[in-house]
Every structure is written in structure tokens, then in C-alpha cells.
């Protein structure tokens, strides 16, 4: 399916200004909740890297950061929850207050997998912050502790999110609609 280019059909779902304000609010909430607890933020690559970079600058307590790289097995099994780790954690999370940082929560399969994998390393706690939540798409009953925006079931790109590895660099979040080819008519 050809989704076209985001900059040819720039329907903005969430502007950079809306995002900035909401990320600031999330940072303030996390600052309050984790006072005296130095959370260890684990960003999930690749999509969460832009959000994570902005979020840490709105958290006004000591934090440490790490990244976990994951990819779905094969293009046809996206969102199957069967993922391959492409970059492991650099430091132990044992006894740490882990905060998973995701760009989007969709079926919930990836998060379920992540919670299982990270919990096996005996952290003190594991919580989740996601910028976007497509709650209507949930298959596995997981929830995030902090949600930036609940969105409808539309394909979004920008601010770290991609289509076929493109558009991650866009400052706003766009809806990417399939390009509908005109059909020949019988006449
Ligand atoms: C996205 C997102 C989550 C996952 C959520 O990653 O970052 O990890 O999908 O989907 P789910 O709830 O249906 O499991 P994606 O596979 O697009 O990879 P990317 O972060 O490298 O873009």
C-alpha cells in the first residue's frame, strides 16, 4: 500500500506545541511521583528516542537512562509481540525503579513482552510512560501509568514514529492516509 509522503498531505494530528505542553505535564507528574527515587528510564528504540529526549528535560529530579532496541520478527508479523532484541540494556536494572518510555501503545503485545523481560531482572518497580495510546486497538490487557494522548485508530508518523523508517524527523505528529488510486469506470 502506498501511504504517500507526509509532507504532501500534512494533516497534523498533534502539533509540536501541543506535544511540548503535554510532555511538560508528564515530566512534572513523573517528577512528583518519583521524588527521592531516581527513576531509571528505559527508552524503547527506535520510536521513543525523540520523546525520551524531550521528556528527560522536563523531569526535575535525578534520573538515569538506558535504551533497549527491539524489532518485530519479519515485516509480516508486526505487532505479533514476538520481538528480537537488537540492543540490550547497558546496565543492570536489579533493584531499580524502571520507567519504560514508549512512543505508542497499540495492541499491547510489545509492552507485555517488555514487562516480562524486564521483570525477570528483578527491578524494584516497572512502570510505563507512553506518548500515544491507541486504546481501541488493545488485544492484550496492558495499560500505561502515564499517557500523553489517547488517539483514534489512525496511522501516525513524525516525532520519532515512522512508516517504513521514514518521517521520524518530523517535528509534529501527522496522520498518514493511504493514497487511493482512482479506479477506471465502466462506460
Ligand atoms: C511500535 C512502538 C511499540 C510497538 C507497539 O514500535 O514503539 O514498541 O510498536 O505496538 P503493539 O502495542 O501493537 O505491540 P515499532 O514496531 O513501530 O518499531 P519502532 O519503534 O522501531 O518504530
Amino acid at each position: 500500500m502506498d501511504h504517500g509522503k507526509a509532507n504532501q498531505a500534512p494533516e497534523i494530528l498533534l502539533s509540536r506545541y501541543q506535544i511540548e505542553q503535554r510532555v511538560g505535564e508528564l515530566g512534572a507528574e513523573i517528577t512528583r511521583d518519583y521524588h527521592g527515587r531516581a527513576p531509571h528510564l528505559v527508552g524503547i528504540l527506535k520510536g521513543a528516542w525523540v520523546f525520551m529526549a524531550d521528556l528527560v528535560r522536563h523531569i526535575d529530579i535525578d534520573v538515569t537512562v538506558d535504551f533497549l532496541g527491539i524489532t518485530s520478527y519479519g515485516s509480516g508479523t508486526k505487532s505479533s509481540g514476538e520481538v528480537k532484541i537488537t540492543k540490550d540494556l547497558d546496565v543492570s536494572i536489579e533493584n531499580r525503579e524502571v520507567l519504560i518510555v514508549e512512543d505508542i501503545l497499540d495492541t499491547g503485545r510489545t509492552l507485555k513482552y517488555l514487562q516480562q523481560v524486564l521483570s525477570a531482572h528483578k527491578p524494584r518497580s516497572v512502570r510505563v510512560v507512553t506518548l500515544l495510546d491507541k486504546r481501541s486497538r488493545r488485544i492484550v490487557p496492558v495499560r500505561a501509568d502515564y499517557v500523553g494522548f489517547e488517539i483514534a485508530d489512525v496511522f501516525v508518523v513524525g516525532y520519532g514514529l515512522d512508516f517504513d523508517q521514514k518521517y521520524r524527523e518530523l517535528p509534529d505528529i501527522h496522520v498518514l492516509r493511504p493514497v487511493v488510486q482512482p479506479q477506471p469506470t465502466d462506460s
Side-chain angles (χ1 to χ4, degrees), residues 13-16 18-24 26 30 47-52 54-55 100-105 128-135 144-151 156-161 170-173:
L13 180 68
L14 296 165
S15 73
R16 66 197 74 183
Q18 289 172 290
I19 296 168
E20 186 183 3
Q21 182 180 346
R22 188 70 188 117
V23 173
L26 290 172
I30 291 166
W49 115 91
V50 177
F51 174 42
M52 175 114 153
D54 282 346
L55 182 64
I100 297 174
V101 181
E102 267 285 25
D103 53 334
I104 189 163
L105 183 49
V128 182
V129 54
T130 187
L131 180 65
L132 305 176
D133 188 356
K134 276 191 193 175
R135 212 163 291 174
D145 300 278
Y146 305 92
V147 175
F149 302 93
E150 185 175 345
I151 63 167
V156 285
V157 296
Y159 198 73
L161 292 114
L170 300 176
D172 309 292
I173 293 178

Side-chain angles (χ1 to χ4, degrees), residues 1-11 78 134 153-158 161-167 170 174-181:
M1 192 190 308
D2 181 1
H3 283 265
K5 284 187 74 73
N7 60 7
Q8 287 171 355
E11 182 185 339
K78 189 173 163 65
K134 276 191 193 175
D153 183 14
V154 288
F155 197 95
V156 285
V157 296
L161 292 114
D162 76 308
F163 169 66
D164 203 14
Q165 301 304 323
K166 292 182 289 190
Y167 312 126
L170 300 176
H174 300 252
V175 176
L176 198 59
R177 303 214 183 266
V179 173
V180 179
Q181 300 293 343

Side-chain angles (χ1 to χ4, degrees), residues 44-48 70 72 78-79 102-111 137 160 162 165 168:
I44 309 303
L45 298 173
K46 301 178 188 147
I70 61 170
S72 301
K78 189 173 163 65
S79 284
E102 267 285 25
D103 53 334
I104 189 163
L105 183 49
D106 190 344
T107 64
R109 286 170 165 150
T110 305
L111 181 57
R137 292 255 309 161
D162 76 308
Q165 301 304 323
R168 293 193 196 273

